Amino acid sequence: MTPPRTIPDVPLEGLYGAVILDHYRNPRNRHPVPDPDVEAQDFNPFCGDQVEVQAKLDLQGRVTEVGFHAEGCSIIQASASMMTEAMAGKSLDQLEELASHFRQMMQGQLPWDVEGANLGDLAALQMVRLYPVRIKCALLPWTTLEEGMDRWRSRNGARPVG
Ligand code: ZN
């Protein structure tokens, strides 16, 4: 008998698991943002994940309001919730830096212990590295955000107006 071909779920155990579960069950910023400046959506056909990210910027180009909508597994929901929480008040440059930092962590290019790396709850997602097929789920909100930031920049130039 061949078992059904399914993607294994990340068992949400331990301290990191509890942090992920908390964001999954009580997502932060899961609401639409009216008239967003930064906006993008993307999906991961492999897992069925879909995510939409929206953000409003002030005249200095800092995030004043952020929201997301996600469909799919617990990891995409938790990752999107953590990302939007980390976005508050940051400039696009800071977000780019954070995105690259997060990607390095997920790809194992940072030391396992990222204490002091300023990733906060996001550090919990490094347990997903043990389940390589789920890494894409954790990265999808970030690649979607980067897409939205690129689009905003090409519309507005390198610096915000005002
Ligand atoms: Zn997923």
Side-chain angles (χ1 to χ4, degrees):
M1 283 222 319
T2 329
R5 221 174 135 250
T6 53
I7 308 172
D9 262 321
V10 178
L12 298 176
E13 295 159 351
L15 183 62
Y16 282 164
V19 174
I20 295 173
L21 213 50
D22 177 45
H23 277 270
Y24 173 50
R25 289 186 177 149
N26 311 294
R28 287 36 152 197
N29 306 303
R30 195 171 65 183
H31 52 71
V33 173
D35 192 22
D37 296 301
V38 173
E39 184 176 27
Q41 45 190 312
D42 209 346
F43 71 106
N44 170 11
F46 189 63
C47 172
D49 292 334
Q50 290 182 41
V51 68
E52 183 172 4
V53 180
Q54 297 177 318
K56 198 111 188 91
L57 306 176
D58 65 14
L59 292 177
Q60 280 74 45
R62 290 177 189 275
V63 173
T64 55
E65 213 185 325
V66 56
F68 79 96
H69 178 79
E71 307 268 348
C73 68
S74 53
I75 300 303
I76 182 108
Q77 302 277 0
S79 181
S81 169
M82 289 175 187
M83 180 186 81
T84 57
E85 193 172 56
M87 284 171 67
K90 291 202 169 61
S91 68
L92 298 194
D93 286 348
Q94 288 172 320
L95 288 175
E96 238 158 48
E97 201 178 292
L98 190 62
S100 97
H101 203 151
F102 181 73
R103 184 177 287 111
Q104 284 172 43
M105 179 186 81
M106 293 310 293
Q107 293 172 345
Q109 293 159 358
L110 284 184
W112 186 260
D113 180 6
V114 291
E115 212 179 7
N118 223 7
L119 285 169
D121 282 0
L122 290 164
L125 286 166
Q126 64 186 295
M127 74 179 283
V128 176
R129 280 167 49 196
L130 299 172
Y131 307 86
V133 291
R134 293 279 178 196
I135 291 177
K136 241 190 166 153
C137 306
L139 287 176
L140 190 64
W142 294 87
T143 52
T144 307
L145 171 65
E146 287 171 322
E147 212 178 289
M149 293 196 294
D150 282 353
R151 220 177 290 157
W152 187 90
R153 282 197 161 115
S154 62
R155 275 200 321 266
N156 294 276
R159 302 234 147 243
V161 185

